[in-house]
Amino acid sequence: MTAFDPRLTPARPDLAARHLEGTVAAARFVDGTVRAVVESQAPVRRAPAPDATLLTEALMGERVTVYETTDEGWAWGQLHGDGYVGWLPAAALGAADAAPTAKVAALRTLVFPGPDIKLPPLATLPLGARVAVARHEGNFAIATGGFLPARHLALLDNVEPDVVAVAERFLGTPYLWGGKTSLGIDCSGLVQVALTACGIACPRDSDMQERALGMSLAPAPDFAGLQRGDLVFWKGHVALVHNPATLIHANAFHMAVALEPLAEAIARIRAAGSDVTSVKRLRP
């Protein structure tokens, strides 16, 4: 049998997706059921336990093909957005009925029970969450069982013009392994969210991003010539070039999304035992 990346392959020794029959070994194969994320964000974990490693997060409106639901309230499946496989709380999933028509374009927005900003909010939604707008009422869009500020939404095909400008909105956000929102985010999550907002398909983890994104550069020994929006990779880490002398990245040293001088970041990470593995340019 061919070896597959378990992060992107819905297969375990005891269970696998039906479409993988004949290509992976498993005790049984099942057809999946498409569900939708109905919470603001849902954790995707390595194992069906609340203290298991957070792999990534699925945002409201994202579709998930579920292959197993346990009696303990966990669903094992594959995200449609980036193909990631893991365990989600089953309560965070609902019927995949109305297709999303809009996405949250603000860093974060509120859902109100009525068309009045003085009402206590029902929920918050992160940048990139998707909703099905039923209608508009004044300055509000009615969706997800509530009223959202219409100016915080954009059509699904709307693209931001500047990847770095999107990343800048997250400055100061706490570092969270597996996070993808302004409540907590990691290095590859920041890159994925920023690129997705700009209409650029992006895998989830930094090693996947290094393989899939952009054109490889051969920068000068002093890294002169880098441009805004270039990606700098180390083993297990990625940063965006903010300007030729500065990076923006979510990192565990600052425990936040931070701006850091390029030379200082390279020296600090090198001292910790890792050199730059590649530099990629997204657009010519």
Side-chain angles (χ1 to χ4, degrees):
M1 295 290 180
T2 304
F4 290 93
D5 188 335
R7 297 171 296 178
L8 300 175
T9 309
R12 310 184 325 233
D14 62 319
L15 179 68
R18 179 84 64 192
H19 70 269
L20 295 173
E21 193 166 4
T23 61
V24 302
R28 62 191 181 98
F29 296 85
V30 299
D31 296 313
T33 301
V34 177
R35 306 284 283 168
V37 177
V38 295
E39 299 289 343
S40 174
Q41 69 249 32
V44 181
R45 300 195 181 276
R46 188 180 302 279
D51 59 351
T53 299
L54 179 67
L55 301 174
T56 187
E57 292 179 308
L59 307 184
M60 174 172 277
E62 182 161 7
R63 271 34 182 178
V64 184
T65 298
V66 174
Y67 295 100
E68 180 185 27
T69 302
T70 71
D71 293 338
E72 293 76 25
W74 291 93
W76 182 70
Q78 184 171 33
L79 307 185
H80 287 198
D82 58 21
Y84 223 99
V85 174
W87 292 91
L88 299 86
L93 304 177
D97 295 332
T101 59
K103 61 184 178 182
V104 175
L107 183 63
R108 206 161 189 87
T109 194
L110 299 171
V111 182
F112 297 95
D116 186 347
I117 61 172
K118 296 179 181 178
L119 295 172
L122 299 171
T124 60
L125 298 183
L127 175 70
R130 298 184 169 211
V131 297
V133 175
R135 66 183 191 279
H136 287 79
E137 185 173 323
N139 294 325
F140 289 88
I142 303 173
T144 68
F147 293 72
L148 291 79
R151 68 175 59 249
H152 286 177
L153 300 179
L155 295 177
L156 293 180
D157 61 359
N158 181 76
V159 295
E160 297 281 352
D162 186 344
V163 169
V164 177
V166 177
E168 286 177 318
R169 300 184 204 173
F170 288 87
L171 281 170
T173 296
Y175 180 85
L176 174 66
W177 182 278
K180 283 183 58 174
T181 78
S182 62
L183 294 179
I185 200 163
D186 65 13
C187 66
S188 56
L190 178 67
V191 168
Q192 187 186 51
V193 169
L195 266 63
T196 299
C198 294
I200 302 170
C202 180
R204 178 58 178 89
D205 292 344
S206 62
D207 64 318
M208 301 174 183
Q209 293 170 356
E210 186 171 15
R211 288 193 299 269
L213 296 175
M215 174 184 66
S216 293
L217 302 179
D222 59 357
F223 288 87
L226 295 186
Q227 298 179 8
R228 181 178 174 90
D230 287 346
L231 295 166
V232 181
F233 289 94
W234 294 261
K235 183 178 180 180
H237 188 60
V238 59
L240 276 161
V241 174
H242 182 264
N243 61 49
T246 311
L247 298 176
I248 181 170
H249 56 152
N251 65 92
F253 178 78
H254 295 95
M255 281 306 296
V257 177
L259 291 172
E260 185 174 11
L262 172 68
E264 289 184 16
I266 290 173
R268 175 176 60 78
I269 298 172
R270 178 177 293 138
S274 182
D275 275 313
V276 171
T277 54
S278 70
V279 178
K280 308 293 283 289
R281 180 158 295 164
L282 296 172
R283 297 186 176 98

